[in-house]
Amino acid sequence: MLLPSEWLGKPYYSLDAYLKKEFGEKVYKLSLDGGMTCPNRDGTCGTRGCIFCSAGGSGDFAGDRRLSITEQLQAQKAMIRNKRPVRKYIAYFQAYTNTYAPVEYLEQIFTEAIADPEVVVLSIATRPDCLKSDVLELLERLNQQKPVWVELGLQTIHESTASYIRRGYPFSCFETALEELHRREISVIVHTILGLPFETEEMVLETMRCLNRYPISGIKLQLLHVLKHTDLAKDYLDRKFQVLSRDAYLSLVMRCLAQLRPDLVIHRLTGDGPKDLLIAPLWSQAKRSVLNDLHHRLKEEQIWQGKDYSDNP
Ligand code: SF4
């Protein structure tokens, strides 16, 4: 198999390769906290949040919300520049639900982020039930200035799992949001979680095959992390489910990659939960070695992204 040259030698289309193709050099992500909360926590659609979500609203690596957006950008750039010379960045609004605020406020913080000449992409993590028409119009306008990515936390297509994890919206809501974003030519990246309780391998593969049929441009395959002080941790400690072993996870990722459309950019293949909060799986802390093993096994077993896609277009 001759891999596409833009994949830069990897058996899948990594975010790194995509960014090098689009921007001609390495681009780094700066994780920001826009000071918002989440309708799944404030009582609008739930009070306890998604079952796996930490108190930091899945933004444990994001900047300090007491700082302005410009200050957060400067602080994070300084940390990266200490290690390597970098000139281009993605402003990533990561913590909580980043379109859950009045549109005037959103316009102010997003405009502040893209005003930075070194920011080349505005990326916004949010929920599909938090994209009202005025917000969509704002994103469409901003997308004319710099590329806007919307990252939707879907996690799974299966309603039974969605109910267990307390996602708080049905799959049809995701479909509607996707249609609206696609109509406005805004790129969508979908977050999925591998290893969710009670999901079989086939259910995970169904999520991958289903997403292939939608106009998305990228996907994150996040390993399920059990974090302290979450309801998921209680169920885990009560032995209601087990986390994936390292080997099971690697096999599952490989099968997912083989099924995914070859044009989908792979934004993440694992993830390392915050060290002070992570209960399991502890093997995930050695992220570099997990990824090295994955690359080795993909090569050895001759698996590449989209290898089995033609069987299920
Ligand atoms: S939608 Fe996001 S921020 Fe809100 S509870 Fe779920 S994971 Fe946490």
Side-chain angles (χ1 to χ4, degrees), residues 50-274:
C50 298
I51 198 166
F52 52 80
C53 183
S54 65
S58 300
D60 299 297
F61 298 110
D64 182 343
R65 58 169 49 201
R66 291 166 301 185
L67 301 178
S68 71
I69 297 304
T70 305
E71 287 166 338
Q72 289 184 47
L73 289 170
Q74 295 308 336
Q76 297 214 13
K77 280 188 200 179
M79 279 195 294
I80 292 176
R81 280 197 183 125
N82 269 343
K83 296 179 199 150
R84 45 186 84 84
V86 186
R87 295 179 303 180
K88 292 182 181 170
Y89 299 93
I90 298 169
Y92 177 38
F93 284 82
Q94 181 181 26
Y96 298 95
T97 300
N98 291 284
T99 53
Y100 191 50
V103 72
E104 298 75 22
Y105 175 73
L106 297 177
E107 178 154 22
Q108 182 201 315
I109 58 171
F110 295 157
T111 305
E112 186 175 341
I114 61 173
D116 183 323
E118 292 181 317
V119 166
V120 292
V121 173
L122 171 66
S123 186
I124 300 164
T126 191
R127 297 168 53 89
D129 56 354
C130 291
L131 288 164
K132 291 194 200 134
S133 57
D134 56 354
V135 173
L136 287 164
E137 278 158 26
L138 168 67
L139 300 182
E140 187 175 18
R141 270 188 282 123
L142 296 173
N143 196 34
Q144 309 297 319
Q145 298 172 46
K146 288 190 181 172
V148 172
W149 299 350
V150 170
E151 306 205 13
L152 296 177
L154 177 70
Q155 326 309 359
T156 176
I157 61 160
H158 299 285
E159 300 293 359
S160 57
T161 318
S163 159
Y164 170 74
I165 64 174
R166 302 194 303 251
R167 189 180 64 193
Y169 66 82
F171 185 71
S172 56
C173 174
F174 166 80
E175 285 181 301
T176 307
L178 197 54
E179 199 180 307
E180 292 293 333
L181 291 161
H182 181 59
R183 197 154 60 81
R184 291 171 171 83
E185 297 183 4
I186 295 167
S187 295
V188 175
I189 292 121
V190 179
H191 295 193
T192 63
I193 297 182
L194 307 193
L196 284 166
F198 320 119
E199 283 217 340
T200 61
E201 180 166 308
E202 189 48 34
M203 287 169 82
V204 177
L205 295 176
E206 276 168 14
T207 292
M208 301 299 137
R209 288 194 288 261
C210 172
L211 289 174
N212 277 337
R213 298 196 286 272
Y214 287 88
I216 64 173
S217 58
I219 187 164
K220 277 186 181 172
L221 307 180
Q222 167 78 48
L223 166 68
L224 179 75
H225 286 127
V226 181
L227 301 181
K228 284 180 193 162
H229 318 304
T230 62
D231 288 342
L232 185 71
K234 281 190 207 115
D235 283 1
Y236 176 71
L237 296 171
D238 286 345
R239 299 176 185 273
K240 290 189 182 158
F241 71 94
Q242 292 184 329
V243 292
L244 291 176
S245 69
R246 194 180 197 268
D247 195 52
Y249 179 71
L250 289 178
S251 302
L252 183 56
V253 170
M254 288 164 71
R255 292 201 63 196
C256 288
L257 280 177
Q259 301 268 352
L260 285 170
R261 258 172 30 213
D263 63 292
L264 282 183
V265 178
I266 308 297
H267 284 241
R268 180 180 292 166
L269 277 178
T270 169
D272 43 356

